Amino acid sequence: MTLAIDVRGLNKSFGDKHVVQNVSLQVEEGKICGFLGPNGSGKTTTLRMLCGLLTPDSGEGSCLGLDIITQAGAIKRRAGYMTQKFSLYEDLTIEENLQFSARVHSLDRRKDRVDQALERLGLIERRAQLAGSLSGGWKQRLALATATLHEPRLLLLDEPTAGVDPKAR
């Protein structure tokens, strides 16, 4: 059994607020896992530690066989993370957002990858639409396209179905 995620005793505080307390998690490669919990329970913070965006205050572990503390940069390159707030450039079109992401990841075959992402997520007819004018559900699709553009080995999704119609889910 190969583990995509293997962390133990993760803790994270912001000032006096201890938002992640002693989280341990193992997820096998190829498996789907979800976090359930009330608002403010540390789900987003945990995801951000797993994908290398935040460093835990204590604890240890790996994602994709890479140490979450010392190899965070390598994890970021191999993981896709879709935030609940989308992280899109609202003054760019759908296609421009994807092209920007392709450049950030230094992807080869950028045009092909962007075209494939547009096709895969049903965004072709909206490719020239500004991201800022999209509904929540369309922003969600664009955010997913952006998170998967570099073909990550691990995909971490924060609130992936919020604002998405039942068919698109």
Side-chain angles (χ1 to χ4, degrees):
M1 162 179 73
T2 303
L3 296 175
I5 298 171
D6 183 16
V7 294
R8 295 161 300 287
L10 295 185
N11 287 279
K12 185 68 180 176
S13 296
F14 296 103
D16 294 347
K17 187 153 174 102
H18 195 168
V19 295
V20 174
Q21 299 179 15
N22 201 32
V23 169
S24 296
L25 177 67
Q26 291 185 323
V27 179
E28 289 180 54
E29 279 189 8
K31 299 292 181 179
I32 296 172
C33 175
F35 289 157
L36 296 176
N39 292 341
S41 63
K43 299 180 300 290
T44 295
T45 300
T46 299
L47 288 175
R48 293 177 65 114
M49 287 189 287
L50 294 175
C51 71
L53 292 174
L54 283 177
T55 303
D57 296 333
S58 62
E60 62 184 4
S62 64
C63 283
L64 301 171
L66 301 164
D67 185 275
I68 62 169
I69 296 170
T70 63
Q71 296 178 300
I75 293 170
K76 285 184 228 177
R77 289 187 295 277
R78 290 173 178 86
Y81 175 55
M82 185 176 81
T83 70
Q84 61 183 326
K85 294 184 177 128
F86 308 125
S87 299
L88 303 172
Y89 292 97
E90 298 209 344
D91 58 341
L92 296 179
T93 66
I94 287 174
E95 186 171 16
E96 290 167 339
N97 267 280
L98 291 170
Q99 289 169 347
F100 179 81
S101 181
R103 285 191 304 277
V104 166
H105 287 285
S106 301
L107 298 180
D108 61 351
R109 306 177 357 268
R110 290 179 193 152
K111 182 181 180 337
D112 290 340
R113 288 181 188 244
V114 167
D115 288 345
Q116 290 168 2
L118 290 166
E119 175 76 30
R120 186 173 55 248
L121 287 155
L123 295 166
I124 286 181
E125 293 184 14
R126 295 177 179 265
R127 72 188 320 149
Q129 188 172 348
L130 290 177
S133 70
L134 297 171
S135 69
W138 287 106
K139 284 182 180 178
Q140 195 83 335
R141 285 185 193 211
L142 175 54
L144 182 59
T146 302
T148 58
L149 191 62
H150 65 291
E151 300 173 3
R153 289 187 47 217
L154 175 64
L155 187 57
L156 300 166
L157 307 174
D158 197 351
E159 302 284 349
T161 60
V164 178
D165 63 86
K167 184 179 177 187
R169 284 183 193 168

